[in-house]
Amino acid sequence: MDQRLRRPAGTHTLRLGGTKLTYLPDGAGQLTPGWLPDATDEIWAAHPEYLDDTGNLVASMGGLLVERDGRALLIDAGLGPQATPAEPGNAHGALHGGALLESLAKAGRTPADIEAVAFTHLHPDHLGWAWHPAPGSDRPAFTAAEYLFAEPEWEQRHLAEEHGTSKEILDVLEPRVRTVAEGEEIFPGVRVMLTPGHTAGHAAYVISDGGQRVIAFGDALHSPIQVDHPEWSAVVDHDPVRSAEFRHRLVEEMARPDTTGFGLHFADVVFGRVERGGDGPAWRPVTP
């Protein structure tokens, strides 16, 4: 698994009963070790497998396509067609996106097939193609979709401006937004699970079919190393204490035998299970 932790994810597909889940790559980024301020230099020295050749964590960027009964839902919309360089003092390094629509086409779908885009939260690397104009157009790609946000996330959207989500972006999103509540079924077999902490109204999505489930947990965790250390919050978490509380709960949930996790930023191990051993919980990928 070591090499997979040092590269961004390609397309991965998981079947869950009659539901097909496909990770759609959009791009990648780097997170500095300082992203997890409670992780010491000694810890990184003991676990070099998590760091790439530049000494950073690899973060995949993309979205999760959920298909069932001919219908299609997208969870998160990537970074979009843009790139930002690493800057001194930033907890993240260079970021780039732009491949999600091509990934969607390779999965046999067009943007018009997407009936809704469900967002985990309002940070730019999850909103990209929902607000950025599609190639050759002055409109975003998902013209037939409504945009779903947990109600507390959208109601406190002003907080997202501190993390680069401009008023311009929010204004583009707003006409399509529908707010959703804890436990609400937004698509066949897909329900909202509120997991505040990273942002004030951060949401995960629980996808169930055939007696199994997948939890798409967004930015509640950024790296598989947090499965081993759920007490470690990200430097950008809105409420680090709440974030850690929900991370502990998520790790417990994903340790159930009927449950798989989906970590959007988890390098090339986006689908995995939590296995318990003598050293505590650990992430084990379930797709090649």
Side-chain angles (χ1 to χ4, degrees), residues 9 28 70 85 96-97 102 123 169 179 192 209 216-217 220:
H96 70 274
E102 181 181 347
H123 285 172
I169 294 174
T179 58
V192 180
D209 197 357
F217 51 75

Side-chain angles (χ1 to χ4, degrees), residues 160-217:
E161 295 187 47
E162 300 172 12
H163 294 277
T165 305
S166 67
K167 188 176 186 304
E168 173 194 0
I169 294 174
L170 295 172
D171 287 347
V172 172
L173 299 176
E174 187 166 17
R176 300 183 184 206
V177 167
R178 177 168 72 85
T179 58
V180 295
E182 168 73 22
E184 182 175 341
E185 187 173 44
I186 60 166
F187 185 80
V190 181
R191 293 188 180 274
V192 180
M193 174 192 283
L194 294 182
T195 52
H198 179 64
T199 60
H202 186 279
Y205 294 93
V206 183
I207 306 154
S208 302
D209 197 357
Q212 297 289 311
R213 63 180 188 160
V214 169
I215 301 177
F217 51 75

